[in-house]
Amino acid sequence: MKVGLFIPCYVDQFYPQVGIATLQLLEKFGCEVSYPAKQTCCGQPMANSGYAHLTHDCDRLFINNFAEFDYIVSPSGSCVLHIKDHLHDDKREGEATHVRTHIYELTEFLTDILKVEDLEAHFPHRVGIHQSCHGQRGLHVAQMSELVAPPFSKPEKLLNMVTGLNLVKLDRVDECCGFGGTFCVAEEAVSVRMGIDRVDDHVKNGTEILTGGDMSCLMHLEGVIRRRQLPIKVMHIAEILNSK
């Protein structure tokens, strides 16, 4: 299958190793992966700030870059959700629909499309998962704890395939970290307090490596960890699943 690799702006600029790990992981499972070099921001920051009317050029460019692929995969739940919910083009709505219905966050693509049941990965560490809000409540990659429903977690399912990995059980499994895109700028104090609360949960339960599917949330938590000089390392889930 032909897969278009969508790498969000902050991953491209600050965490290129996450994009590389995603590419290598997809290729391990036989995907023919291409990276459209002209891709830029998907438009999510503008849309979330109330300027959705300014994202039309972003939509058109996204369609130009990705309409030809069987699937589009990204290591970012929030950016994927933005495209799924908001990508439209009056002149090319058929192509826009194809993109919206064939874009996947990495862990849901591995579990739902590739049906991965085995990973040749080894990672001997205590790992704590941060379930980001967009991935959990928007893309449904994990069950919400407030619902009276059977629990599930696609990221956990994949991490449980990694030999040597010890999955940490948190007190509050799916609480928001406080990042929220532009929320962390508009409500800095609240955002920081929420981030501290999430990190404290990981510290209390012995997390060595804090992971998740949204590098934006992990970037926020990493900032808290660095400022408090805590012995926790932050890694995107793609890096762990791609480990040897």
Side-chain angles (χ1 to χ4, degrees):
M1 62 179 68
K2 292 174 59 181
V3 174
L5 182 59
F6 165 39
I7 300 298
C9 312
Y10 54 90
V11 173
D12 176 58
Q13 294 296 314
F14 303 122
Y15 302 97
Q17 74 276 10
V18 175
I20 293 169
T22 302
L23 168 65
Q24 293 175 342
L25 195 57
L26 291 172
E27 289 181 336
K28 282 181 182 179
F29 290 101
C31 297
E32 181 186 340
V33 186
S34 297
Y35 174 82
K38 294 183 179 179
Q39 62 180 285
T40 61
C41 178
C42 65
Q44 182 189 183
M46 286 184 287
N48 287 353
S49 299
Y51 297 96
H53 62 288
L54 299 179
T55 65
H56 300 314
D57 286 339
C58 294
D59 292 346
R60 282 190 286 270
L61 182 60
F62 201 94
I63 293 169
N64 288 342
N65 284 319
F66 291 103
E68 67 177 276
F69 294 103
D70 299 324
Y71 296 97
I72 304 103
V73 179
S74 176
S76 169
S78 62
C79 294
V80 167
L81 183 64
H82 171 73
I83 295 298
K84 277 184 174 292
D85 285 354
H86 301 291
L87 183 76
H88 293 281
D89 190 312
D90 292 341
K91 297 180 180 179
R92 304 170 65 186
E93 193 56 26
E95 291 173 291
T97 300
H98 171 78
V99 171
R100 286 198 313 273
T101 56
H102 289 80
I103 188 169
Y104 288 85
E105 181 268 338
L106 177 63
T107 62
E108 64 171 346
F109 184 73
L110 293 174
T111 57
D112 297 359
I113 302 301
L114 296 184
K115 308 292 184 182
V116 171
E117 295 294 339
D118 182 61
L119 281 167
E120 294 182 0
H122 180 67
F123 197 74
H125 298 283
R126 289 180 56 82
V127 176
I129 302 179
H130 175 66
Q131 303 276 16
S132 65
C133 300
H134 281 119
Q136 186 165 38
R137 291 171 171 79
L139 299 176
H140 308 295
V141 301
Q143 185 60 274
M144 295 168 276
S145 61
E146 64 267 23
L147 296 183
V148 182
F152 70 89
S153 172
K154 296 172 187 179
E156 278 195 24
K157 178 181 178 181
L158 293 167
L159 288 172
N160 281 326
M161 299 178 195
V162 179
T163 61
L165 189 148
N166 185 349
L167 207 55
V168 172
K169 298 299 182 182
L170 300 173
D171 294 345
R172 302 187 303 279
V173 296
D174 58 6
E175 191 171 296
C176 178
C177 70
F179 176 66
T182 53
F183 175 81
C184 69
V185 178
E187 298 290 348
E188 178 186 357
V190 178
S191 174
V192 171
R193 182 68 256 179
M194 293 173 72
I196 290 172
D197 286 348
R198 292 314 304 128
V199 169
D200 283 348
D201 197 0
H202 284 275
V203 171
K204 176 183 176 183
N205 289 285
T207 294
E208 295 175 349
I209 309 293
L210 200 164
T211 194
D214 250 305
M215 204 62 229
S216 54
C217 297
L218 295 178
M219 178 171 62
H220 176 61
L221 294 172
E222 187 177 36
V224 173
I225 290 167
R226 286 184 175 182
R227 283 169 175 79
R228 301 177 76 196
Q229 299 181 328
L230 298 172
I232 296 177
K233 183 177 180 180
V234 172
M235 294 178 68
H236 190 277
I237 193 170
E239 298 176 87
I240 296 176
L241 301 180
N242 190 49
S243 61
K244 296 180 181 179

